[in-house]
Amino acid sequence: MQLDFWLNKWQKKDIGFHQDAVNQSLMDFWPRLDLGNQGHVLVPLCGKTQDMLWLAGQGHHVVGVEISPIAVQEFFAENQLDATPVQLDGLDDWSAGAVRLICGDFFATTAAVVDEVMAVYDRAALIALPPELRRRYVAHLSSLLPYGTDILLVVIDYPPAEMDGPPFSVNDHEVNALYGAEFSISMLAERDVLDENPRFRQRGLTRMIERVYRLTKLA
Ligand code: SAH
């Protein structure tokens, strides 16, 4: 059901979440993780985001996970990258240069498949999921990550009664409830982004706050 919803969205080209430019908060706050220019970065629920190319440009190996084959194929085609899939543990695995995309259900990925991850970038992944799946997502994500792994998390917070997700509202209280047991949490930024997102004003929102967090997995 949940996966069909997303597969249909890609089929219908109903992908308002996709940004043509690299995400500003990624460029502003990634350097604050102080990771150096190496290591694998996991991008769960990656769509065809340009952010993966930016991360690769920083020297990282990027591993994206995405259910829609349309998204995966468009990512490589639109960026003039040559990639052909190989099968890995029942998932299609595409690579070109420093970007590797696993086409399949994120919940079916294992630590062995995603490889040694040193950081995670989550923009529009946690907030793509309804409440019960968010809890499963955090548990599964954490199970893939070694201690010390940093997550750059970007979420939005709006009055939930004003709009049905996705994107879902995830407030500061929920971030702490979801991640607090296993991660240290620091909020890096908080700002009103409604003016930059007129489509959400049209959908009825009167307030939309973006928060950026650094989460670090505790030993
Ligand atoms: N992070 C991307 C895409 C956000 S939209 C961006 O910033 O543009 C959420 C994406 O997650 C969609 O592309 C959807 O197809 C994908 N998705 C949803 N559930 C998934 C799952 N269980 N496994 C893998 N991908 C999933």
Side-chain angles (χ1 to χ4, degrees):
M1 169 64 210
Q2 169 70 15
L3 293 180
D4 281 350
F5 169 85
W6 289 104
L7 293 170
N8 280 334
K9 270 179 113 55
W10 279 99
Q11 210 127 41
K12 292 182 298 185
K13 300 191 190 301
D14 175 16
I15 53 167
F17 53 82
H18 178 71
Q19 300 179 316
D20 289 330
V22 177
N23 185 271
Q24 192 61 45
S25 296
L26 172 64
M27 294 189 285
D28 289 347
F29 296 106
W30 190 259
R32 296 269 285 273
L33 303 188
D34 216 6
L35 296 169
N37 306 57
Q38 287 164 10
H40 288 58
V41 176
L42 174 64
V43 184
L45 283 59
C46 61
K48 56 172 181 176
T49 179
Q50 290 293 307
D51 301 348
M52 295 190 280
L53 292 176
W54 186 87
L55 286 164
Q58 305 302 300
H60 297 294
H61 280 269
V62 176
V63 185
V65 183
E66 168 56 49
I67 191 67
S68 168
I70 296 176
V72 171
Q73 284 164 32
E74 287 184 0
F75 174 81
F76 290 114
E78 290 171 8
N79 294 299
Q80 286 87 45
L81 296 167
D82 256 336
T84 37
V86 294
Q87 279 277 315
L88 187 69
D89 283 0
L91 301 166
D92 277 342
D93 193 318
W94 303 65
S95 278
V99 180
R100 175 176 161 223
L101 299 190
I102 298 168
C103 188
D105 185 355
F106 176 66
F107 293 98
T109 55
T110 60
V113 169
V114 299
D115 216 349
E116 187 78 352
V117 172
M118 59 122 52
V120 175
Y121 171 58
D122 177 333
R123 182 256 164 195
L126 179 67
I127 63 168
L129 303 172
E132 66 285 3
L133 266 189
R134 293 202 282 277
R135 284 187 289 276
R136 268 186 65 203
Y137 167 85
V138 170
H140 186 66
L141 178 60
S142 181
S143 78
L144 301 175
L145 306 179
Y147 297 120
T149 306
D150 278 314
I151 303 177
L152 188 74
L153 171 66
V154 183
V155 295
I156 55 168
D157 176 3
Y158 60 81
E162 292 182 351
M163 183 176 94
D164 289 331
F168 293 93
S169 175
V170 175
N171 63 23
D172 186 53
H173 175 78
E174 183 173 344
V175 170
N176 280 279
L178 286 170
Y179 281 103
E182 288 192 86
F183 291 79
S184 70
I185 300 175
S186 80
M187 196 197 295
L188 303 178
E190 177 178 43
R191 66 193 184 94
D192 194 321
V193 293
L194 190 55
D195 285 344
E196 298 158 36
N197 291 279
R199 70 194 173 99
F200 291 117
R201 205 188 281 284
Q202 278 157 20
R203 279 173 69 177
L205 293 195
T206 56
R207 184 177 65 82
M208 184 177 179
I209 308 294
E210 179 188 273
R211 295 198 184 87
V212 182
Y213 295 88
R214 175 190 187 161
L215 314 172
T216 307
K217 188 159 176 189
L218 301 165

